[in-house]
Amino acid sequence: MVIGSGLTSADVIASLDAKGFAGKITCLSRRGLRSRGHAFGFAPTAARFAEQPETTALGLLRRIRRAVRADADAGLPWQAVLDRVRIDGPAIWAALPLAERQKLVRKLRIWWDVHRFRIAPQIEAVLDRRIAEGSLTMLAARLDHAEARANNIHIGWRTRRREGGKPHHDSANFDAVIVTTGPAHGGILGASPVLRDLADAGLVRCDALKLGLDVANVAQAVGLGGKPSAGLYVAGPLARGHIGELMGIPEVTAHAEATAAMVLAAIGQKRDGRTGALDRQLDCSA
């Protein structure tokens, strides 16, 4: 069993296949959605989302759908629009009030993830082949229980409620279970002793969306009192509650550069302050 159906799950399944694993694989996730594939050689979309950005999650969704339909009429794949959404991500996120951000994370995040984090064609071909031959099953279900037994692992799950029906409970035995659900950023304060100590000291706190740490002014950590913690910065994915899209290499790189610039500026201010203080001391001595 593979728990999770995102990029890591696809890589694990492809790796098992490459090593000659011929047994059956069951992939379980809450919605049973696979990461979508790439498209190549298409022109950029004319859509722009940073210009007069939407202020509601529903408005943003409708705007993206209109752009995808317009691109389809022009012979472009949906990937063109999603690539533009990614580029315009900071402006899109900044325009959304907290309540709309919460709505987007709760209702649309899963759809963004499977379209944004795409799998390579070679890996997609492995998944398609194994599904067709019956050696890979994608389950939309929630994990109920897991029990390690002498010779296997017993897993129970509850399938999603069908319209007008009830959830279905099922279970099976597996030789191995691989968890590919990714980092639990919402529980990072409990998982990291360093961050837990910083939180206990009042220097950091979780963001309101439970995506990572609360951040202000691009990268400055926010403490329990809601005030930025001087000299403490958050670079990378843990700041995505403030920035928005912050998981890919280009976004992480840009955020690291912005954070480094802030640190350099802060160091420069301290150095200038010390120089000024020394000048005043020399003036007094004279």
Side-chain angles (χ1 to χ4, degrees):
M1 168 163 282
V2 177
I3 299 177
S5 59
L7 288 181
T8 304
S9 169
D11 287 342
V12 164
I13 294 168
S15 296
L16 289 170
D17 186 80
K19 291 179 182 297
F21 179 73
K24 291 190 174 183
I25 301 173
T26 299
C27 185
L28 183 151
S29 65
R30 282 177 294 178
R31 293 183 179 271
L33 296 175
R34 285 172 48 188
S35 292
R36 305 304 199 255
H38 285 284
F40 302 94
F42 55 85
T45 181
R48 295 293 182 271
F49 300 94
E51 300 170 4
Q52 296 182 326
E54 300 294 331
T55 57
T56 67
L58 181 58
L60 176 62
L61 177 62
R62 288 173 172 170
R63 186 167 172 177
I64 292 172
R65 284 176 169 171
R66 287 196 301 269
V68 169
R69 288 194 294 268
D71 273 10
D73 291 340
L76 294 177
W78 59 261
Q79 286 89 341
V81 168
L82 269 293
D83 287 349
R84 189 70 226 184
V85 172
R86 179 178 176 181
I87 293 171
D88 293 342
I92 292 171
W93 193 250
L96 293 172
L98 177 59
E100 293 301 317
R101 291 181 182 181
Q102 291 172 329
K103 191 180 300 182
L104 188 150
V105 169
R106 186 173 67 254
K107 296 186 176 182
L108 300 178
R109 176 183 171 187
I110 181 61
W111 299 101
W112 167 251
D113 284 351
V114 298
H115 287 86
R116 153 68 178 86
F117 300 104
R118 303 169 203 157
I119 54 176
Q122 301 91 331
I123 295 178
E124 186 176 26
V126 171
L127 269 60
D128 289 342
R129 170 174 54 79
R130 293 196 70 117
I131 289 174
E133 67 188 20
S135 62
L136 172 61
T137 300
M138 308 294 294
L139 277 180
R142 288 182 177 271
L143 185 67
D144 256 350
H145 61 269
E147 179 188 355
R149 295 180 175 177
N151 299 316
N152 53 49
I153 303 171
H154 185 72
I155 300 290
W157 62 85
R158 182 175 71 257
T159 58
R160 288 177 58 81
R161 185 190 304 272
R162 300 294 184 212
E163 190 171 334
K166 296 182 178 180
H168 175 68
H169 294 263
D170 207 344
S171 64
N173 296 324
F174 296 88
D175 297 313
V177 176
I178 305 173
V179 180
T180 66
T181 52
H185 287 163
I188 193 66
L189 294 184
S192 168
V194 172
L195 295 180
R196 184 168 60 248
D197 286 349
L198 288 173
D200 290 343
L203 297 174
V204 298
R205 67 181 184 182
C206 283
D207 67 70
L209 299 172
K210 299 296 187 289
L211 295 177
L213 298 179
D214 198 2
V215 173
N217 306 321
V218 179
Q220 198 162 9
V222 174
L224 293 181
K227 296 180 179 180
S229 299
L232 189 60
Y233 302 90
V234 180
L238 285 177
R240 61 181 175 160
H242 178 64
I243 300 297
E245 170 57 29
L246 192 52
M247 294 296 287
I249 295 298
E251 291 82 10
V252 171
T253 300
H255 192 248
E257 291 173 345
T259 305
M262 293 180 67
V263 173
L264 284 173
I267 291 173
Q269 290 174 359
K270 288 184 178 180
R271 183 181 59 212
D272 292 343
R274 287 195 297 269
T275 302
L278 180 59
D279 289 344
R280 288 191 296 273
Q281 290 175 8
L282 291 174
D283 288 343
C284 290
S285 299

